[in-house]
Amino acid sequence: MPDNLYPAATAALGARRRELAPGVHEAFDAFSRAVFAEGALPEKTKQLIAVAVAHTTQCPYCIDGHTKLAHRKGATAEEIMEAVWVAAEMRAGGAFAHSTIALHALGEDTPQSAP
């Protein structure tokens, strides 16, 4: 992540966030720990999902952090890249699926007869 594009997430900034809203910060931390804990899905799978979602939401901090966490939980580079491709397809698929709205707006929502 280029240092000049996104500011570094430092311990000092984390402490400041906690100081500004301590109750909410702790609630979010507890929620995050619960979500990523081993459960019906293994931690590795949860981190691969997070990698895909991070690419869909385009959060550079999340991409960096969850890619590293997925790798620490045993995900291979190939699995991580496949998760990224799933995210890419879902994002593109959303645009494709929403063409229904554009066609409806154009009055093209009824089947046309073939000539």
Side-chain angles (χ1 to χ4, degrees):
M1 218 168 20
D3 292 336
N4 60 350
L5 185 57
Y6 297 100
T10 65
L13 286 172
R16 182 65 176 143
R17 279 195 303 258
R18 183 180 306 278
E19 177 185 301
L20 291 169
V24 175
H25 196 283
E26 179 49 42
F28 185 80
D29 281 351
F31 175 64
S32 185
R33 283 190 303 273
V35 166
F36 285 101
E38 191 83 14
L41 294 173
E43 291 178 73
K44 174 182 147 182
T45 301
K46 291 180 178 189
Q47 289 301 332
L48 286 168
I49 292 168
V51 168
V53 171
H55 280 80
T56 302
T57 62
Q58 300 179 335
C59 173
Y61 301 101
C62 299
I63 292 169
D64 183 68
H66 288 288
T67 298
K68 290 173 182 172
L69 285 166
H71 188 48
R72 269 190 242 140
K73 295 296 177 182
T76 64
E78 291 82 6
E79 288 172 317
I80 291 167
M81 193 64 233
E82 196 165 308
V84 172
W85 280 115
V86 169
E89 192 285 335
M90 291 300 294
R91 191 162 176 113
F96 174 73
H98 279 83
S99 67
T100 300
I101 297 168
L103 291 172
H104 180 76
L106 293 170
E108 299 279 338
D109 53 342
T110 55
Q112 303 293 316
S113 302

